[in-house]
Amino acid sequence: MHAQHSALNQQASQPQVQLSPQGFFSFPSKLSGTAANATDLTSIRINADWLCVVVSFACLIFAILEGFAYHNVTQAIAWGGPLFLGSLAITRWHAGQPLTMHINAALLVGMGALHVHIARGLPEYHFGFFMLLPVMLAYRDTRPLLSMGFFIVIHHIVFDMLQQAGYECYIFRGPFSGLPAVALHGFYVVIEVMLLSVIAQTLRQHALVAEESTALLNCLSQEKGINLRMRAQKDEYGHISPMGQVFNDYADNMAFVVAAFKMLRTDIRELSQIAKELGADNTQQMEDSLQASKKIRDFVQSLGNQTRIGQSTAELSKKVTEDSFDLLNELNQSLEQLQRISKQAFDSSQQIQTLYKEFQKELTPAVAQQLHTTLGTLDNLNERTNGFMARMDLLKSGLSAIENQLVAIDRATHQWVENGHGNQRQGWEVLGAMEGMQARTESAFKTLTNTVQTILRSDELMREMENRLSRFDI
């Protein structure tokens, strides 16, 4: 079927080649105005009618030459002229009609009878009838053959009777004449008519097949469009020609193909619209993916910056904590020194008071006054030292609280840094996963883009096929 499809496509797409007739056959086709290789029976009958005119004209020329040979030109022209003109007239105005072929058959029999008559019944001129009978094969019909055979037999009978009656009508010459000669000639005519009828029937079948093939192939004309509604019909015997079967199969298959293509075209149109929308969404999603990846990268970088700030803060907190710890140690050392100073002042005051009690009587007023002054100074120093120590205790408590807060800050800062490093590592992992996913997404997007382009190209191809298949009428 594919081979038939291709062959019919080539035959339908290429212009039909008309073989120009050559030689003698070009003349009747020019007279009829119909192609010499026409396949319809009407054109065949028209060409055959004009062929009979040409043969009749040739018979007229032969009759005139024969008349010169037998000194009977007058009868050749008197009888041959009307016979030729009758054939020309009936063909000129009624070419292709069924009755015309019977009339032409009778007129050609008249030309054959004229040749025999001019030769005064010479048997050799009877061959003219057997030459004229095959001319009827041009009609590809048995009816003109039967008509010509019937007219030949009637001519032989009538002219033999007229010749036997003494009229100047010649059909036979010599002793072999009369009914035996008529019967023998009629026998040969009947046999030839039968043989030629078989050939004519075969030619008619070929003509019908050619006409059907031409009609079917005309349905595949590229200029007029391809008509797939046409189907080859069965004959009266219920048979269908091989060409008709091939055409019916081709038409059925192409009708299915065209119908399936129309359904496919609808699906491709919807798919093309979806592809266009996907193409637009694809571009937007790629841009969104790139923007999201950029934001994640910026976020991870900001996490790195915050981690570095946390590291700086942790180092500063550690230094502050160490400084606070050193300050607290120095404060403790200073407090210990003050405690020793206070103790020494208290001891000195006690010793001076003891000495004062022991040497009170022996001391001079000036020394006593100085001792009292020294004792007052020591007591004042002791009080101020105790007050300063009390304030130093408050400062120590404050520094201890600050130290505790700094330690907490240092721990929180270290936790912040550790969390920052962990978040940054997770961020880079997420970013790596996002980049891998983005790479896969871009690959998927590229595949989708290629698919969209393929669908769009398919849509363009479908448009071209739709233009081509629009010529198919199913």
Side-chain angles (χ1 to χ4, degrees):
M1 187 60 199
H2 292 294
Q4 295 170 357
H5 184 185
S6 177
L8 288 175
N9 270 344
Q10 292 177 358
Q11 190 166 3
S13 61
Q14 295 176 356
Q16 295 184 356
V17 178
Q18 298 290 343
L19 298 176
S20 59
Q22 300 294 332
F24 172 76
F25 296 98
S26 63
F27 186 64
S29 65
K30 291 180 180 178
L31 292 176
S32 64
T34 306
N37 56 342
T39 56
D40 60 290
L41 291 177
T42 302
S43 299
I44 290 174
R45 284 199 296 267
I46 292 174
N47 285 332
D49 288 334
W50 283 102
L51 178 62
C52 289
V53 172
V54 174
V55 173
S56 179
F57 179 75
C59 290
L60 175 61
I61 299 300
F62 183 78
I64 293 174
L65 295 175
E66 188 182 2
F68 281 109
Y70 290 97
H71 308 288
N72 199 359
V73 178
T74 304
Q75 287 190 356
I77 296 176
W79 291 99
L83 291 174
F84 167 71
L85 293 177
S87 178
L88 178 62
I90 192 67
T91 302
R92 174 66 179 79
W93 284 290
H94 299 286
Q97 299 297 325
L99 183 61
T100 304
M101 60 184 178
H102 298 290
I103 295 175
N104 278 327
L107 293 174
L108 287 178
V109 171
M111 282 292 186
L114 179 61
H115 295 164
V116 174
H117 172 73
I118 293 175
R120 296 182 179 274
L122 191 65
E124 285 77 4
Y125 284 92
H126 283 259
F127 287 106
F129 294 108
F130 297 98
M131 289 179 59
L132 294 174
L133 271 171
V135 175
M136 296 298 101
L137 290 176
Y139 287 102
R140 302 189 185 190
D141 198 337
T142 58
R143 291 176 293 176
L145 286 169
L146 296 174
S147 297
M148 180 171 276
F150 176 76
F151 291 141
I152 291 173
V153 173
I154 294 299
H155 158 262
H156 278 58
I157 294 173
V158 172
F159 269 55
D160 181 69
M161 294 175 62
L162 292 175
Q163 185 179 2
Q164 295 294 335
Y167 292 95
E168 292 185 359
C169 295
Y170 300 99
I171 183 64
F172 296 114
R173 179 189 293 187
F176 188 70
S177 62
L179 289 179
V182 172
L184 181 61
H185 283 235
F187 172 75
Y188 283 117
V189 169
V190 170
I191 295 299
E192 184 174 7
V193 168
M194 292 176 60
L195 295 175
L196 293 178
S197 295
V198 174
I199 298 174
Q201 189 65 25
T202 303
L203 294 176
R204 179 178 177 82
Q205 292 299 327
H206 291 171
L208 291 175
V209 171
E211 183 179 9
E212 180 189 38
S213 300
T214 301
L216 294 178
L217 291 178
N218 284 335
C219 296
L220 305 180
S221 174
Q222 184 176 8
E223 297 177 355
K224 298 179 181 179
I226 299 176
N227 182 12
L228 296 182
R229 297 178 182 272
M230 181 69 69
R231 292 294 186 278
Q233 303 298 325
K234 296 181 179 180
D235 57 13
E236 61 271 14
Y237 303 105
H239 298 154
I240 189 170
S241 65
M243 178 64 187
Q245 186 64 44
V246 169
F247 180 84
N248 287 349
D249 292 341
Y250 170 78
D252 293 338
N253 291 330
M254 283 305 300
F256 174 77
V257 169
V258 173
F261 170 78
K262 289 182 178 180
M263 297 175 60
L264 180 62
R265 179 71 183 105
T266 302
D267 295 337
I268 289 294
R269 284 180 178 174
E270 296 178 357
L271 190 60
S272 175
Q273 186 64 31
I274 295 173
K276 291 179 180 179
E277 295 176 357
L278 285 177
D281 294 340
N282 184 14
T283 304
Q284 184 64 34
Q285 289 176 0
M286 287 185 67
E287 294 179 357
D288 294 342
S289 177
L290 293 173
Q291 189 68 24
S293 177
K294 183 179 179 181
K295 288 181 178 179
I296 291 178
R297 184 179 295 275
D298 294 339
F299 176 71
V300 173
Q301 291 178 353
S302 65
L303 283 178
N305 295 331
Q306 291 178 2
T307 302
R308 286 190 292 273
I309 294 173
Q311 289 177 343
S312 301
T313 305
E315 292 176 357
L316 179 61
S317 176
K318 182 177 181 182
K319 187 175 184 306
V320 171
T321 303
E322 292 175 353
D323 293 341
S324 177
F325 183 75
D326 294 339
L327 179 61
L328 186 60
N329 288 331
E330 292 178 357
L331 183 61
N332 287 329
Q333 293 176 2
S334 300
L335 185 59
E336 290 176 357
Q337 293 290 336
L338 288 175
Q339 287 176 352
R340 287 195 295 271
I341 292 172
S342 176
K343 184 178 179 181
Q344 291 175 359
F346 179 76
D347 292 337
S348 299
S349 176
Q350 291 295 325
Q351 291 176 1
I352 291 173
Q353 287 181 359
T354 303
L355 291 174
Y356 178 74
K357 290 178 180 180
E358 292 177 357
F359 298 102
Q360 182 175 9
K361 296 179 180 181
E362 297 176 3
L363 294 176
T364 60
V367 174
Q369 186 64 32
Q370 288 180 354
L371 287 174
H372 280 293
T373 302
T374 301
L375 287 173
T377 301
L378 289 174
D379 290 336
N380 188 18
L381 177 62
N382 191 14
E383 291 177 0
R384 293 181 63 184
T385 302
N386 289 331
F388 187 69
M389 286 176 62
R391 287 193 294 273
M392 288 291 287
D393 288 334
L394 293 176
L395 181 59
K396 180 180 177 181
S397 300
L399 287 176
S400 297
I402 291 174
E403 183 182 12
N404 294 331
Q405 292 178 357
L406 289 174
V407 170
I409 291 173
D410 184 57
R411 290 177 180 176
T413 305
H414 280 85
Q415 186 65 35
W416 177 23
V417 172
E418 291 179 358
N419 293 335
H421 286 298
N423 292 332
Q424 190 175 12
R425 285 193 300 271
Q426 293 178 358
W428 285 115
E429 291 176 357
V430 171
L431 182 61
M434 282 291 295
E435 289 178 350
M437 184 176 66
Q438 184 179 0
R440 292 191 296 271
T441 303
E442 289 179 356
S443 178
F445 284 160
K446 289 180 180 179
T447 304
L448 180 61
T449 302
N450 295 332
T451 304
V452 170
Q453 293 177 355
T454 302
I455 293 174
L456 294 178
R457 286 195 299 271
S458 300
D459 182 63
E460 294 177 356
L461 180 60
M462 285 295 172
R463 292 178 185 274
E464 179 65 23
M465 291 181 64
E466 185 177 19
N467 293 333
R468 290 179 178 271
L469 293 180
S470 62
R471 297 182 292 108
F472 287 83
D473 183 16
I474 61 173

